Amino acid sequence: MRGKGRVLLVLALVAVVAMAFRVSWNALRDVAKAIGADATAALLYPFVVDGLMALALVATLVLTGDDRRFALRVLATYTLASLVLNYVHGLVPGLHNATAGRVRLAQWDAGNWVLVLLASSLPVGSIYFGSDLVAKVLHHRPAPADEQACGSSGQESAHAPHTDAHPEPDPTATTTGSTGDAPAPEASALVTARAEAERLPDPHTPHTARTPEPESADEALRQAQFEEAELERMRQDARRAYTESAQAGRPLSARALGEAFGMSESWGRKQILAARDEEPPRPVLRAVDTAAV
């Protein structure tokens, strides 16, 4: 039914345009005779004016951008010219007589001169504007549809991986000392490796986990407890990493510790202080007087 409705609409439009052309054809033919056209030229004159209007209308449906605006200007100009000539045909009774020959289009000399210039220039304008419109339509290439940058196909540029501001030192680098013992590994390498080992296997870190919205007060409470437990686990890992770095002889700074766990420098400083508080007191060695024994 939808296709039949479209066909009926197009047929009705064609019928209306054909009847309107027949009415306008009578007036334009008489005007052509009044400016000196012979019988054949007067018969073809309406096709020159109203025919270009139809051509410009089709061009507006095909062209886009500046070309479409140009076609609309041509359509508006020739529609206005045809309206003026039909209006003059209704005002001058002498144009209705088929055998009258040349007839003045206006009693005022300047007005008659302007109307004659308008009627005689329309065929020349049809040649120029009609050929230009046909050339624009023939050379028109519809722009392809823009492809979406991120579609369902998954062709999306991967994000650059996060890199630390401080690059990891080479763990194979050797250091020279007064003793001949094997050099201790770099502290930053130790803590970075430990942090990655702690964070990568667990997909439920508090920073990247996306949990659903709680539906009740109990779920909200359990969610808060879960996040607090995750944060406490991260704090314990950070303190353990600092302790290991201190035991290796290269204690981490607050900034390095915070960056290793994706936190701030102040957070790292708090974990260092907590790790120092948790350290067991070192045994005090006292000299024994062997003479007294």
Side-chain angles (χ1 to χ4, degrees):
M1 183 62 184
R2 186 177 181 181
K4 293 181 180 180
R6 290 182 176 180
V7 172
L8 292 177
L9 181 62
V10 172
L11 292 177
L13 176 61
V14 172
V16 172
V17 171
M19 289 184 290
F21 174 78
R22 176 62 185 86
V23 176
S24 178
W25 178 83
N26 187 40
L28 296 179
R29 181 199 60 183
D30 294 343
V31 170
K33 290 181 179 179
I35 62 175
D38 58 10
T40 303
L43 183 65
L44 298 177
Y45 186 83
F47 294 96
V48 173
V49 180
D50 291 345
L52 183 64
M53 292 170 53
L55 177 62
L57 179 60
V58 174
T60 57
L61 301 177
V62 177
L63 300 175
T64 58
D66 295 337
D67 294 340
R68 183 174 183 271
R69 286 189 287 270
F70 172 76
L72 286 174
R73 287 194 291 268
V74 173
L75 176 61
T77 301
Y78 268 71
T79 301
L80 181 61
S82 179
L83 176 62
V84 171
L85 295 181
N86 277 270
Y87 177 70
V88 171
H89 181 265
L91 289 180
V92 181
L95 295 176
H96 305 165
N97 187 3
T99 60
R102 293 181 62 89
V103 179
R104 289 179 60 89
L105 299 180
Q107 297 298 326
W108 184 35
D109 292 339
N112 182 70
W113 180 83
V114 171
L115 291 175
V116 172
L117 178 62
L118 173 64
S120 59
S121 63
L122 290 179
V124 180
S126 296
I127 298 174
Y128 174 77
F129 294 117
S131 59
D132 194 8
L133 288 175
V134 171
K136 291 181 183 298
V137 171
L138 294 179
H139 290 84
H140 176 69
R141 294 292 183 272
D146 295 333
E147 298 181 357
Q148 297 182 356
C150 301
S152 58
S153 60
Q155 297 179 354
E156 183 178 359
S157 59
H159 298 284
H162 172 72
T163 57
D164 294 334
H166 300 278
E168 298 180 3
D170 188 3
T172 61
T174 58
T175 58
T176 59
S178 58
T179 61
D181 298 336
E186 295 289 342
S188 58
L190 287 174
V191 69
T192 304
R194 185 173 185 85
E196 293 296 332
E198 292 291 339
R199 295 171 61 184
L200 290 178
D202 189 4
H204 301 290
T205 58
H207 297 283
T208 59
R210 299 180 61 185
T211 56
E213 296 181 358
E215 298 179 357
S216 63
D218 294 338
E219 293 182 2
L221 179 59
R222 286 195 296 269
Q223 179 66 23
Q225 292 175 351
F226 171 77
E227 293 180 355
E228 181 60 29
E230 290 295 317
L231 291 175
E232 181 61 27
R233 182 181 64 81
M234 181 180 292
R235 288 192 289 266
Q236 293 295 335
D237 294 339
R239 296 167 187 173
R240 190 179 305 112
Y242 174 77
T243 302
E244 292 178 357
S245 66
Q247 293 174 356
R250 295 179 179 273
L252 290 171
S253 63
R255 180 179 180 182
L257 185 63
E259 289 180 354
F261 287 87
M263 304 298 285
S264 62
E265 181 179 356
S266 61
W267 183 87
R269 186 178 297 106
K270 292 178 181 179
Q271 307 315 313
I272 291 175
L273 295 177
R276 291 175 179 175
D277 294 339
E278 293 175 358
E279 290 181 358
R282 296 182 181 180
V284 179
L285 299 179
R286 296 182 179 178
V288 179
D289 189 1
T290 57
V293 178

